């Protein structure tokens, strides 16, 4: 077995994330929320799996990420971890479990790490949540930051449009990114911001910057798997590339099944005992 293949089979860690940035290797990341999907995604060679609170949207059908609970995130996280051999697994702390009270933030992060077996947690925000970031990191729990469009603050923004287009917000984002790096976060997600700003942050910071709607001059990319596979078909932001149209494929298969059952074409003689 070649060294490259052997290296590729090694478990991805927060440390190897940093090494990938240093050697200029782009980092691939996708969400997953359940065992079966995570098994496929991991075996296909993804570097990192995000158990995102987007589960609130794509798994539970809510309009925002706000309703999902810590217990529900732990259920999704543990299901994913049971499937994964190589990818780094990061679990989102949900809305209301880390803002405002750093002791509660630490309790939430400890529960996720103990009860899921994940490698790291992700939280949204900069300066406002710095105390929580520091307390969680002091317990040895790796944190991925998340800046730009932070969906847990959607009621404050009032819109899902591109963030940090004006100078003041861009300057705050740059300051926040440095604060998170200095505190000890191992990576940061930048969501839906101008590509030029994301490129600047990626070049100023040593830790990997993972983009979603943040251009290609960052250190890696993340997408919601239901969007990139075309399971969701009503959400079409400019940054989304659909690699499949599974909604139509699944609907077609179900239609065929329904008509086979109705016509007594299923099961046939070979499909029974
Ligand atoms: O919850 C999620 O899926 C995310 C990604 C959009 C980065 O946070």
């Amino acid at each position: 077995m070649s060294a490259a293949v052997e290296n590729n089979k090694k478990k991805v860690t927060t440390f190897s994330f940093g090494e990938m940035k240093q050697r200029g290797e782009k980092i691939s990341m996708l969400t997953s929320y359940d065992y079966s999907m995570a098994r496929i995604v991991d075996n296909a060679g993804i570097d990192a799996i995000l158990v995102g609170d987007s589960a609130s949207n794509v798994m539970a059908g809510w309009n925002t990420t706000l309703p999902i609970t810590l217990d529900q995130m732990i259920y999704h996280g543990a299901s994913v971890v049971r499937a994964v051999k190589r990818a780094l697994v990061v679990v989102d702390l949900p809305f209301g479990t880390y803002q405002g009270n750093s002791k509660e933030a630490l309790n939430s992060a400890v529960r996720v790490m103990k009860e899921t077996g994940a490698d790291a947690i992700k939280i949204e925000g900069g300066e406002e949540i710095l105390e929580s970031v520091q307390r969680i990191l002091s317990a040895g729990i790796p944190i991925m930051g998340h800046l730009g469009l932070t969906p847990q603050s959607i009621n404050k923004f009032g819109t899902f449009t591109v963030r940090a287009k004006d100078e003041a917000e861009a300057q705050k984002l740059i300051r926040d990114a440095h604060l998170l790096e200095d505190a000890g976060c191992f990576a940061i997600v930048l969501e839906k911001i101008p590509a030029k700003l994301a490129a600047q942050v990626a070049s100023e910071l040593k830790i990997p910057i993972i983009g979603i709607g943040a251009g290609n001059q960052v250190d890696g990319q993340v997408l919601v798997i239901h969007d990139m596979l075309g399971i969701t078909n009503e959400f079409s932001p400019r940054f989304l590339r659909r690699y499949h149209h599974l909604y139509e494929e699944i609907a077609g298969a179900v239609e065929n099944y329904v008509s086979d059952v109705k016509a007594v074409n299923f099961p046939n003689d070979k499909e029974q005992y």
Side-chain angles (χ1 to χ4, degrees), residues 31 50 52-54 92 122 146 189 191 212 222 224:
T31 65
L50 173 64
D53 58 0
S54 49
D92 265 338
K122 176 165 83 58
H146 185 157
V189 168
E191 180 165 354
I212 171 164
V222 59
V224 170

Side-chain angles (χ1 to χ4, degrees), residues 226-246:
H226 288 64
D227 299 335
M228 66 82 80
L229 290 178
I231 297 173
T232 51
N233 62 354
E234 287 159 348
F235 177 67
S236 290
R238 190 206 295 199
F239 69 75
L240 175 62
R241 184 180 297 178
R242 287 199 202 288
Y243 284 82
H244 221 302
H245 296 278
L246 273 193

Side-chain angles (χ1 to χ4, degrees), residues 159-172:
T159 159
F160 282 100
T161 54
V162 182
R163 302 306 313 173
K165 284 211 294 204
D166 71 68
E167 190 56 21
E169 195 177 334
Q171 287 308 321
K172 177 173 165 24

